[in-house]
Every structure is written in structure tokens, then in C-alpha cells.
Amino acid sequence: VWEELLTQIPEMKAFATAHFDDWEATQSFARDALTGEVKGIHGFWHANIFQAVYCTNLLMRSCDVLVTKPSEFSFYPIPKLMIHRIGGHEAWGAIRAAEVGDGTYEMDQDAEVMGMLDSLQHDRYLVSFMCDRIQEANCIGIYNGAYKAVDLAVHGLDSPWAHVG
């Protein structure tokens, strides 16, 4: 996917850095990004599925916008630019992010993605708007689904969530 992106969006090559399958380097980058300056576009990939997902948990604390397909990342509390999905079921993640206001709708065309990237870079209101929606969503518990699921699994019918909805 990374190589395809670089081919489809040749302007990206000058700003792109790949961080592939080096967990220690990913952790170091994430730590340094919290206090240092990061420029450009950074792509991360790990063969280990747990590292692949968890690196987003580390990195999102210091990034402005996550560019992602509408996967489980659709439900992360971070501004998101949604690119084309891989599986049909993923469409709902982009729909939900757009409903909440913390992400864009799914963008299929390169020109559309490039236009939104340009807008996100030059109109800081868009990112601020998404951050405001994240704060509002957090206040009403939108991002607490995993906590609720664990509570239900541990406490069963004694969980306060057992009789909701």
C-alpha cells in the first residue's frame, strides 16, 4: 500500500519516510515526537499485528491528523482523513467518524484526498473543528466502548452496562 501511495501521489515522495518493522525505532520515534519537531509524512508498518495496531496508540498522541482507511482506527479519538476502504464492512467506520465529526467521509479519488490534505494544512479550523468534536464525544462516552465491553465480560449481568440499550 505504501509503494502504491508513493506511485499514485508522486508529490508525497519528497516528504515521506517509511518506518517498517522496527519496533524499537517506532517506540523511539513516538517518544521523541512528543517533545521534538516532526516534519513530513511518516508511514509505519509492522508484521506483528499487535505492534501494527499499538504503534497508532503511541503515535496519535503527537500527531495532528491520522490518514487511514476506515478500519478500527475510525473509532480513535484523533482527527482522521479517511481514504479508500479495503473491505466493504469498513464503510461504516468512515460513516461513523463523519457523523461524530472527528473524521472525514471516505475519499476514493486521489484528487479528493490531495484537496483535503491541502485544506487540512492550510485551514487550521478543520483540525480544530475535529478536535472540538473529539472533546464533545469524549464527554458523552463515545470512545468508551472497549471499557464497557471489558466491564461486561468481567462483571456480566452485574455490570451497569448489562441493561443499557
Side-chain angles (χ1 to χ4, degrees):
V1 171
W2 181 255
E3 292 302 322
E4 186 176 328
L5 276 173
L6 293 176
T7 300
Q8 290 182 2
I9 310 170
E11 301 87 353
M12 192 172 117
K13 288 180 184 175
F15 306 100
T17 304
H19 305 271
F20 289 176
D21 220 16
D22 185 342
W23 182 240
E24 295 302 320
T26 297
Q27 291 178 338
S28 178
F29 180 94
R31 271 192 308 274
D32 294 346
L34 290 172
T35 56
E37 184 175 358
V38 176
K39 293 184 178 187
I41 300 168
H42 296 266
F44 294 84
W45 176 86
H46 292 281
N48 178 307
I49 190 68
F50 298 106
Q51 293 172 350
V53 173
Y54 194 71
C55 78
T56 303
N57 295 351
L58 298 176
L59 294 165
M60 74 178 197
R61 296 172 17 202
S62 64
C63 77
D64 297 320
V65 176
L66 174 66
V67 179
T68 185
K69 66 182 182 69
S71 61
E72 64 277 0
F73 296 132
S74 300
F75 305 96
Y76 275 52
I78 185 170
K80 295 168 283 288
L81 187 158
M82 298 292 185
I83 58 175
H84 186 65
R85 67 182 176 267
I86 293 175
H89 66 287
E90 292 179 333
W92 294 106
I95 291 167
R96 183 63 175 155
E99 287 174 344
V100 171
D102 64 359
T104 68
Y105 61 90
E106 179 184 357
M107 299 187 181
D108 292 327
Q109 304 299 315
D110 293 347
E112 193 175 27
V113 172
M114 294 304 291
M116 182 54 74
L117 280 172
D118 188 56
S119 294
L120 289 166
Q121 290 176 15
H122 294 99
D123 182 357
R124 295 304 291 176
Y125 171 76
L126 293 173
V127 174
S128 293
F129 175 85
M130 288 182 191
C131 288
D132 290 345
R133 300 301 73 77
I134 289 167
Q135 289 178 332
E136 290 170 1
N138 187 52
C139 286
I140 60 173
I142 292 273
Y143 304 112
N144 294 346
Y147 295 114
K148 293 173 186 176
V150 168
D151 191 65
L152 280 167
V154 171
H155 298 105
L157 293 176
D158 292 329
S159 167
W161 304 106
H163 307 287
V164 175

